mmCIF file of all heavy atoms in Angstrom:
data_model
loop_
_atom_site.group_PDB
_atom_site.id
_atom_site.type_symbol
_atom_site.label_atom_id
_atom_site.label_comp_id
_atom_site.label_asym_id
_atom_site.label_seq_id
_atom_site.Cartn_x
_atom_site.Cartn_y
_atom_site.Cartn_z
ATOM 1 N N ASP A 21 -41.193 -169.790 -13.202
ATOM 2 C CA ASP A 21 -40.342 -168.671 -12.786
ATOM 3 C C ASP A 21 -39.194 -168.555 -13.784
ATOM 4 O O ASP A 21 -38.336 -169.440 -13.880
ATOM 5 C CB ASP A 21 -39.805 -168.926 -11.372
ATOM 6 C CG ASP A 21 -39.137 -167.689 -10.786
ATOM 7 O OD1 ASP A 21 -38.505 -166.935 -11.555
ATOM 8 O OD2 ASP A 21 -39.234 -167.482 -9.568
ATOM 9 N N SER A 22 -39.168 -167.463 -14.521
ATOM 10 C CA SER A 22 -38.171 -167.303 -15.583
ATOM 11 C C SER A 22 -36.743 -167.305 -15.042
ATOM 12 O O SER A 22 -35.809 -167.700 -15.737
ATOM 13 C CB SER A 22 -38.433 -166.006 -16.356
ATOM 14 O OG SER A 22 -38.353 -164.878 -15.497
ATOM 15 N N ARG A 23 -36.557 -166.880 -13.778
ATOM 16 C CA ARG A 23 -35.201 -166.856 -13.212
ATOM 17 C C ARG A 23 -34.610 -168.257 -13.146
ATOM 18 O O ARG A 23 -33.425 -168.455 -13.412
ATOM 19 C CB ARG A 23 -35.230 -166.246 -11.807
ATOM 20 C CG ARG A 23 -35.656 -164.795 -11.751
ATOM 21 C CD ARG A 23 -35.879 -164.376 -10.319
ATOM 22 N NE ARG A 23 -36.890 -165.209 -9.675
ATOM 23 C CZ ARG A 23 -37.145 -165.207 -8.370
ATOM 24 N NH1 ARG A 23 -36.433 -164.429 -7.574
ATOM 25 N NH2 ARG A 23 -38.090 -165.971 -7.858
ATOM 26 N N MET A 24 -35.451 -169.222 -12.749
ATOM 27 C CA MET A 24 -34.974 -170.602 -12.660
ATOM 28 C C MET A 24 -34.596 -171.136 -14.046
ATOM 29 O O MET A 24 -33.584 -171.818 -14.216
ATOM 30 C CB MET A 24 -36.057 -171.513 -12.064
ATOM 31 C CG MET A 24 -36.664 -171.033 -10.772
ATOM 32 S SD MET A 24 -35.483 -170.967 -9.428
ATOM 33 C CE MET A 24 -35.914 -169.404 -8.687
ATOM 34 N N VAL A 25 -35.423 -170.799 -15.035
ATOM 35 C CA VAL A 25 -35.204 -171.306 -16.388
ATOM 36 C C VAL A 25 -33.947 -170.680 -16.994
ATOM 37 O O VAL A 25 -33.154 -171.355 -17.662
ATOM 38 C CB VAL A 25 -36.432 -171.040 -17.281
ATOM 39 C CG1 VAL A 25 -36.265 -171.709 -18.635
ATOM 40 C CG2 VAL A 25 -37.706 -171.549 -16.617
ATOM 41 N N ILE A 26 -33.736 -169.390 -16.753
ATOM 42 C CA ILE A 26 -32.542 -168.717 -17.273
ATOM 43 C C ILE A 26 -31.284 -169.303 -16.638
ATOM 44 O O ILE A 26 -30.287 -169.566 -17.325
ATOM 45 C CB ILE A 26 -32.625 -167.196 -17.025
ATOM 46 C CG1 ILE A 26 -33.681 -166.572 -17.950
ATOM 47 C CG2 ILE A 26 -31.275 -166.529 -17.250
ATOM 48 C CD1 ILE A 26 -33.970 -165.120 -17.669
ATOM 49 N N ALA A 27 -31.329 -169.517 -15.330
ATOM 50 C CA ALA A 27 -30.161 -170.102 -14.650
ATOM 51 C C ALA A 27 -29.848 -171.475 -15.220
ATOM 52 O O ALA A 27 -28.679 -171.818 -15.448
ATOM 53 C CB ALA A 27 -30.431 -170.202 -13.147
ATOM 54 N N LEU A 28 -30.887 -172.247 -15.484
ATOM 55 C CA LEU A 28 -30.697 -173.576 -16.066
ATOM 56 C C LEU A 28 -30.098 -173.455 -17.473
ATOM 57 O O LEU A 28 -29.185 -174.206 -17.833
ATOM 58 C CB LEU A 28 -32.038 -174.311 -16.106
ATOM 59 C CG LEU A 28 -32.032 -175.782 -16.513
ATOM 60 C CD1 LEU A 28 -31.161 -176.602 -15.570
ATOM 61 C CD2 LEU A 28 -33.465 -176.329 -16.517
ATOM 62 N N GLY A 29 -30.593 -172.498 -18.256
ATOM 63 C CA GLY A 29 -30.076 -172.284 -19.607
ATOM 64 C C GLY A 29 -28.605 -171.893 -19.604
ATOM 65 O O GLY A 29 -27.809 -172.394 -20.406
ATOM 66 N N GLU A 30 -28.232 -171.005 -18.680
ATOM 67 C CA GLU A 30 -26.827 -170.583 -18.588
ATOM 68 C C GLU A 30 -25.928 -171.763 -18.219
ATOM 69 O O GLU A 30 -24.796 -171.878 -18.704
ATOM 70 C CB GLU A 30 -26.695 -169.466 -17.551
ATOM 71 C CG GLU A 30 -27.303 -168.152 -18.011
ATOM 72 C CD GLU A 30 -27.280 -167.094 -16.927
ATOM 73 O OE1 GLU A 30 -27.284 -167.458 -15.737
ATOM 74 O OE2 GLU A 30 -27.275 -165.904 -17.279
ATOM 75 N N CYS A 31 -26.460 -172.638 -17.369
ATOM 76 C CA CYS A 31 -25.676 -173.800 -16.956
ATOM 77 C C CYS A 31 -25.507 -174.774 -18.127
ATOM 78 O O CYS A 31 -24.416 -175.319 -18.344
ATOM 79 C CB CYS A 31 -26.374 -174.488 -15.791
ATOM 80 S SG CYS A 31 -25.247 -175.283 -14.661
ATOM 81 N N TYR A 32 -26.574 -174.992 -18.876
ATOM 82 C CA TYR A 32 -26.468 -175.828 -20.079
ATOM 83 C C TYR A 32 -25.429 -175.255 -21.044
ATOM 84 O O TYR A 32 -24.667 -175.987 -21.675
ATOM 85 C CB TYR A 32 -27.819 -175.917 -20.786
ATOM 86 C CG TYR A 32 -28.747 -176.973 -20.254
ATOM 87 C CD1 TYR A 32 -30.068 -176.665 -19.909
ATOM 88 C CD2 TYR A 32 -28.340 -178.295 -20.108
ATOM 89 C CE1 TYR A 32 -30.930 -177.643 -19.426
ATOM 90 C CE2 TYR A 32 -29.197 -179.272 -19.630
ATOM 91 C CZ TYR A 32 -30.488 -178.936 -19.285
ATOM 92 O OH TYR A 32 -31.340 -179.904 -18.813
ATOM 93 N N GLN A 33 -25.400 -173.936 -21.141
ATOM 94 C CA GLN A 33 -24.454 -173.286 -22.047
ATOM 95 C C GLN A 33 -23.014 -173.557 -21.601
ATOM 96 O O GLN A 33 -22.135 -173.801 -22.428
ATOM 97 C CB GLN A 33 -24.727 -171.784 -22.062
ATOM 98 C CG GLN A 33 -24.245 -171.085 -23.310
ATOM 99 C CD GLN A 33 -24.833 -169.690 -23.445
ATOM 100 O OE1 GLN A 33 -25.603 -169.237 -22.609
ATOM 101 N NE2 GLN A 33 -24.466 -169.006 -24.502
ATOM 102 N N LYS A 34 -22.785 -173.554 -20.296
ATOM 103 C CA LYS A 34 -21.436 -173.773 -19.784
ATOM 104 C C LYS A 34 -20.948 -175.199 -20.015
ATOM 105 O O LYS A 34 -19.748 -175.428 -20.130
ATOM 106 C CB LYS A 34 -21.392 -173.438 -18.295
ATOM 107 C CG LYS A 34 -21.423 -171.941 -18.029
ATOM 108 C CD LYS A 34 -21.440 -171.635 -16.554
ATOM 109 C CE LYS A 34 -21.499 -170.122 -16.345
ATOM 110 N NZ LYS A 34 -21.632 -169.764 -14.923
ATOM 111 N N VAL A 35 -21.894 -176.145 -20.061
ATOM 112 C CA VAL A 35 -21.477 -177.535 -20.307
ATOM 113 C C VAL A 35 -21.638 -177.901 -21.781
ATOM 114 O O VAL A 35 -21.681 -179.084 -22.132
ATOM 115 C CB VAL A 35 -22.261 -178.520 -19.395
ATOM 116 C CG1 VAL A 35 -21.950 -178.279 -17.941
ATOM 117 C CG2 VAL A 35 -23.765 -178.449 -19.652
ATOM 118 N N GLU A 36 -21.770 -176.876 -22.635
ATOM 119 C CA GLU A 36 -21.813 -177.058 -24.089
ATOM 120 C C GLU A 36 -23.039 -177.839 -24.570
ATOM 121 O O GLU A 36 -22.984 -178.491 -25.603
ATOM 122 C CB GLU A 36 -20.538 -177.767 -24.581
ATOM 123 C CG GLU A 36 -19.242 -177.024 -24.274
ATOM 124 C CD GLU A 36 -19.176 -175.681 -24.993
ATOM 125 O OE1 GLU A 36 -19.651 -175.613 -26.137
ATOM 126 O OE2 GLU A 36 -18.653 -174.722 -24.405
ATOM 127 N N ARG A 37 -24.128 -177.754 -23.844
ATOM 128 C CA ARG A 37 -25.380 -178.374 -24.304
ATOM 129 C C ARG A 37 -26.266 -177.239 -24.816
ATOM 130 O O ARG A 37 -27.222 -176.809 -24.175
ATOM 131 C CB ARG A 37 -26.034 -179.164 -23.168
ATOM 132 C CG ARG A 37 -25.185 -180.364 -22.751
ATOM 133 C CD ARG A 37 -25.680 -181.041 -21.486
ATOM 134 N NE ARG A 37 -27.022 -181.584 -21.627
ATOM 135 C CZ ARG A 37 -27.641 -182.299 -20.670
ATOM 136 N NH1 ARG A 37 -27.001 -182.556 -19.532
ATOM 137 N NH2 ARG A 37 -28.858 -182.748 -20.851
ATOM 138 N N LEU A 38 -25.902 -176.756 -26.010
ATOM 139 C CA LEU A 38 -26.461 -175.492 -26.501
ATOM 140 C C LEU A 38 -27.914 -175.602 -26.927
ATOM 141 O O LEU A 38 -28.674 -174.637 -26.817
ATOM 142 C CB LEU A 38 -25.599 -174.970 -27.660
ATOM 143 C CG LEU A 38 -24.125 -174.721 -27.309
ATOM 144 C CD1 LEU A 38 -23.396 -174.104 -28.493
ATOM 145 C CD2 LEU A 38 -23.995 -173.833 -26.083
ATOM 146 N N GLN A 39 -28.325 -176.763 -27.445
ATOM 147 C CA GLN A 39 -29.721 -176.903 -27.854
ATOM 148 C C GLN A 39 -30.655 -176.825 -26.639
ATOM 149 O O GLN A 39 -31.709 -176.192 -26.697
ATOM 150 C CB GLN A 39 -29.926 -178.229 -28.599
ATOM 151 C CG GLN A 39 -29.213 -178.300 -29.944
ATOM 152 C CD GLN A 39 -29.651 -177.199 -30.902
ATOM 153 O OE1 GLN A 39 -30.816 -176.811 -30.939
ATOM 154 N NE2 GLN A 39 -28.707 -176.700 -31.702
ATOM 155 N N GLU A 40 -30.251 -177.474 -25.526
ATOM 156 C CA GLU A 40 -31.056 -177.384 -24.299
ATOM 157 C C GLU A 40 -31.063 -175.951 -23.768
ATOM 158 O O GLU A 40 -32.096 -175.454 -23.294
ATOM 159 C CB GLU A 40 -30.515 -178.325 -23.221
ATOM 160 C CG GLU A 40 -30.792 -179.789 -23.478
ATOM 161 C CD GLU A 40 -29.618 -180.461 -24.166
ATOM 162 O OE1 GLU A 40 -28.873 -179.756 -24.885
ATOM 163 O OE2 GLU A 40 -29.454 -181.680 -23.988
ATOM 164 N N ALA A 41 -29.902 -175.278 -23.872
ATOM 165 C CA ALA A 41 -29.821 -173.889 -23.422
ATOM 166 C C ALA A 41 -30.768 -173.005 -24.228
ATOM 167 O O ALA A 41 -31.466 -172.143 -23.683
ATOM 168 C CB ALA A 41 -28.389 -173.382 -23.549
ATOM 169 N N LYS A 42 -30.811 -173.245 -25.545
ATOM 170 C CA LYS A 42 -31.688 -172.459 -26.419
ATOM 171 C C LYS A 42 -33.148 -172.621 -26.013
ATOM 172 O O LYS A 42 -33.904 -171.648 -25.940
ATOM 173 C CB LYS A 42 -31.459 -172.896 -27.871
ATOM 174 C CG LYS A 42 -32.179 -172.046 -28.896
ATOM 175 C CD LYS A 42 -31.640 -172.328 -30.301
ATOM 176 C CE LYS A 42 -31.930 -173.751 -30.731
ATOM 177 N NZ LYS A 42 -31.605 -173.968 -32.155
ATOM 178 N N LYS A 43 -33.545 -173.856 -25.715
ATOM 179 C CA LYS A 43 -34.932 -174.115 -25.306
ATOM 180 C C LYS A 43 -35.249 -173.398 -23.994
ATOM 181 O O LYS A 43 -36.354 -172.875 -23.812
ATOM 182 C CB LYS A 43 -35.158 -175.615 -25.152
ATOM 183 C CG LYS A 43 -35.151 -176.372 -26.464
ATOM 184 C CD LYS A 43 -35.260 -177.880 -26.234
ATOM 185 C CE LYS A 43 -35.167 -178.647 -27.550
ATOM 186 N NZ LYS A 43 -35.184 -180.116 -27.336
ATOM 187 N N CYS A 44 -34.269 -173.368 -23.082
ATOM 188 C CA CYS A 44 -34.491 -172.702 -21.794
ATOM 189 C C CYS A 44 -34.693 -171.194 -21.978
ATOM 190 O O CYS A 44 -35.623 -170.608 -21.403
ATOM 191 C CB CYS A 44 -33.307 -172.957 -20.860
ATOM 192 S SG CYS A 44 -33.237 -174.630 -20.196
ATOM 193 N N PHE A 45 -33.831 -170.561 -22.776
ATOM 194 C CA PHE A 45 -33.965 -169.110 -22.970
ATOM 195 C C PHE A 45 -35.271 -168.767 -23.686
ATOM 196 O O PHE A 45 -35.914 -167.756 -23.385
ATOM 197 C CB PHE A 45 -32.765 -168.571 -23.761
ATOM 198 C CG PHE A 45 -31.454 -168.686 -23.024
ATOM 199 C CD1 PHE A 45 -30.288 -169.034 -23.699
ATOM 200 C CD2 PHE A 45 -31.390 -168.462 -21.664
ATOM 201 C CE1 PHE A 45 -29.079 -169.150 -23.026
ATOM 202 C CE2 PHE A 45 -30.180 -168.566 -20.974
ATOM 203 C CZ PHE A 45 -29.033 -168.911 -21.660
ATOM 204 N N TRP A 46 -35.659 -169.620 -24.631
ATOM 205 C CA TRP A 46 -36.931 -169.397 -25.322
ATOM 206 C C TRP A 46 -38.100 -169.510 -24.347
ATOM 207 O O TRP A 46 -39.015 -168.690 -24.339
ATOM 208 C CB TRP A 46 -37.081 -170.405 -26.462
ATOM 209 C CG TRP A 46 -38.432 -170.350 -27.115
ATOM 210 C CD1 TRP A 46 -39.455 -171.240 -26.985
ATOM 211 C CD2 TRP A 46 -38.934 -169.318 -27.981
ATOM 212 N NE1 TRP A 46 -40.536 -170.843 -27.713
ATOM 213 C CE2 TRP A 46 -40.250 -169.665 -28.335
ATOM 214 C CE3 TRP A 46 -38.384 -168.147 -28.490
ATOM 215 C CZ2 TRP A 46 -41.029 -168.885 -29.173
ATOM 216 C CZ3 TRP A 46 -39.170 -167.363 -29.328
ATOM 217 C CH2 TRP A 46 -40.468 -167.731 -29.650
ATOM 218 N N LYS A 47 -38.049 -170.533 -23.479
ATOM 219 C CA LYS A 47 -39.125 -170.703 -22.501
ATOM 220 C C LYS A 47 -39.174 -169.519 -21.540
ATOM 221 O O LYS A 47 -40.265 -169.024 -21.223
ATOM 222 C CB LYS A 47 -38.921 -172.001 -21.711
ATOM 223 C CG LYS A 47 -40.017 -172.245 -20.684
ATOM 224 C CD LYS A 47 -39.852 -173.557 -19.931
ATOM 225 C CE LYS A 47 -40.983 -173.723 -18.916
ATOM 226 N NZ LYS A 47 -40.864 -174.976 -18.141
ATOM 227 N N ALA A 48 -38.007 -169.067 -21.086
ATOM 228 C CA ALA A 48 -37.975 -167.918 -20.167
ATOM 229 C C ALA A 48 -38.589 -166.685 -20.819
ATOM 230 O O ALA A 48 -39.337 -165.931 -20.183
ATOM 231 C CB ALA A 48 -36.537 -167.634 -19.741
ATOM 232 N N HIS A 49 -38.304 -166.473 -22.096
ATOM 233 C CA HIS A 49 -38.897 -165.340 -22.816
ATOM 234 C C HIS A 49 -40.415 -165.481 -22.885
ATOM 235 O O HIS A 49 -41.147 -164.518 -22.660
ATOM 236 C CB HIS A 49 -38.304 -165.254 -24.219
ATOM 237 C CG HIS A 49 -38.998 -164.266 -25.109
ATOM 238 N ND1 HIS A 49 -39.030 -162.917 -24.840
ATOM 239 C CD2 HIS A 49 -39.706 -164.442 -26.272
ATOM 240 C CE1 HIS A 49 -39.726 -162.300 -25.791
ATOM 241 N NE2 HIS A 49 -40.132 -163.203 -26.663
ATOM 242 N N CYS A 50 -40.887 -166.687 -23.158
ATOM 243 C CA CYS A 50 -42.332 -166.920 -23.261
ATOM 244 C C CYS A 50 -43.035 -166.764 -21.912
ATOM 245 O O CYS A 50 -44.218 -166.416 -21.854
ATOM 246 C CB CYS A 50 -42.607 -168.317 -23.823
ATOM 247 S SG CYS A 50 -42.065 -168.530 -25.535
ATOM 248 N N LEU A 51 -42.309 -167.022 -20.816
ATOM 249 C CA LEU A 51 -42.891 -166.907 -19.476
ATOM 250 C C LEU A 51 -42.997 -165.460 -19.004
ATOM 251 O O LEU A 51 -43.596 -165.188 -17.982
ATOM 252 C CB LEU A 51 -42.053 -167.701 -18.469
ATOM 253 C CG LEU A 51 -42.158 -169.228 -18.544
ATOM 254 C CD1 LEU A 51 -41.127 -169.874 -17.640
ATOM 255 C CD2 LEU A 51 -43.560 -169.695 -18.180
ATOM 256 N N GLY A 52 -42.402 -164.548 -19.756
ATOM 257 C CA GLY A 52 -42.480 -163.142 -19.365
ATOM 258 C C GLY A 52 -41.143 -162.529 -19.004
ATOM 259 O O GLY A 52 -40.978 -161.320 -19.043
ATOM 260 N N ASP A 53 -40.179 -163.368 -18.608
ATOM 261 C CA ASP A 53 -38.813 -162.939 -18.358
ATOM 262 C C ASP A 53 -38.750 -161.738 -17.414
ATOM 263 O O ASP A 53 -38.585 -160.588 -17.836
ATOM 264 C CB ASP A 53 -38.110 -162.609 -19.674
ATOM 265 C CG ASP A 53 -36.636 -162.273 -19.463
ATOM 266 O OD1 ASP A 53 -36.107 -162.602 -18.385
ATOM 267 O OD2 ASP A 53 -36.036 -161.691 -20.370
ATOM 268 N N ALA A 54 -38.855 -162.030 -16.120
ATOM 269 C CA ALA A 54 -38.846 -160.970 -15.117
ATOM 270 C C ALA A 54 -37.564 -160.150 -15.153
ATOM 271 O O ALA A 54 -37.556 -158.954 -14.843
ATOM 272 C CB ALA A 54 -39.029 -161.586 -13.723
ATOM 273 N N GLU A 55 -36.453 -160.764 -15.546
ATOM 274 C CA GLU A 55 -35.170 -160.060 -15.561
ATOM 275 C C GLU A 55 -34.907 -159.331 -16.889
ATOM 276 O O GLU A 55 -33.928 -158.586 -17.004
ATOM 277 C CB GLU A 55 -34.030 -161.059 -15.318
ATOM 278 C CG GLU A 55 -34.204 -161.909 -14.070
ATOM 279 C CD GLU A 55 -34.181 -161.099 -12.790
ATOM 280 O OE1 GLU A 55 -33.407 -160.135 -12.744
ATOM 281 O OE2 GLU A 55 -34.923 -161.426 -11.857
ATOM 282 N N GLU A 56 -35.728 -159.578 -17.911
ATOM 283 C CA GLU A 56 -35.591 -158.940 -19.223
ATOM 284 C C GLU A 56 -34.231 -159.226 -19.873
ATOM 285 O O GLU A 56 -33.625 -158.356 -20.503
ATOM 286 C CB GLU A 56 -35.787 -157.413 -19.123
ATOM 287 C CG GLU A 56 -37.061 -156.984 -18.428
ATOM 288 C CD GLU A 56 -38.317 -157.300 -19.239
ATOM 289 O OE1 GLU A 56 -38.169 -157.739 -20.390
ATOM 290 O OE2 GLU A 56 -39.420 -157.132 -18.708
ATOM 291 N N ILE A 57 -33.726 -160.459 -19.722
ATOM 292 C CA ILE A 57 -32.421 -160.794 -20.300
ATOM 293 C C ILE A 57 -32.484 -162.046 -21.176
ATOM 294 O O ILE A 57 -31.540 -162.338 -21.904
ATOM 295 C CB ILE A 57 -31.354 -161.008 -19.203
ATOM 296 C CG1 ILE A 57 -31.799 -162.109 -18.231
ATOM 297 C CG2 ILE A 57 -31.061 -159.716 -18.472
ATOM 298 C CD1 ILE A 57 -30.744 -162.464 -17.198
ATOM 299 N N ALA A 58 -33.585 -162.773 -21.122
ATOM 300 C CA ALA A 58 -33.657 -164.059 -21.841
ATOM 301 C C ALA A 58 -33.530 -163.861 -23.347
ATOM 302 O O ALA A 58 -32.851 -164.641 -24.024
ATOM 303 C CB ALA A 58 -34.959 -164.773 -21.504
#
């Protein structure tokens, strides 16, 4: 579910773990990204 992955990515971004955030947004995009924001 891309929504879960995006939320996780945004949270990683807030705690300055940018590499993990990048992987999350990439995965959300690959999953289809229901929200079209990844």
Side-chain angles (χ1 to χ4, degrees):
D21 191 325
S22 60
R23 296 170 302 169
M24 309 296 137
V25 187
I26 289 173
L28 188 59
E30 289 175 333
C31 211
Y32 276 129
Q33 203 166 0
K34 286 178 181 175
V35 296
E36 300 296 323
R37 294 171 62 176
L38 301 185
Q39 293 301 323
E40 287 95 332
K42 187 166 65 171
K43 290 175 184 176
C44 287
F45 295 141
W46 173 254
K47 181 178 180 181
H49 171 63
C50 294
L51 287 171
D53 185 17
E55 307 296 323
E56 308 291 353
I57 57 175

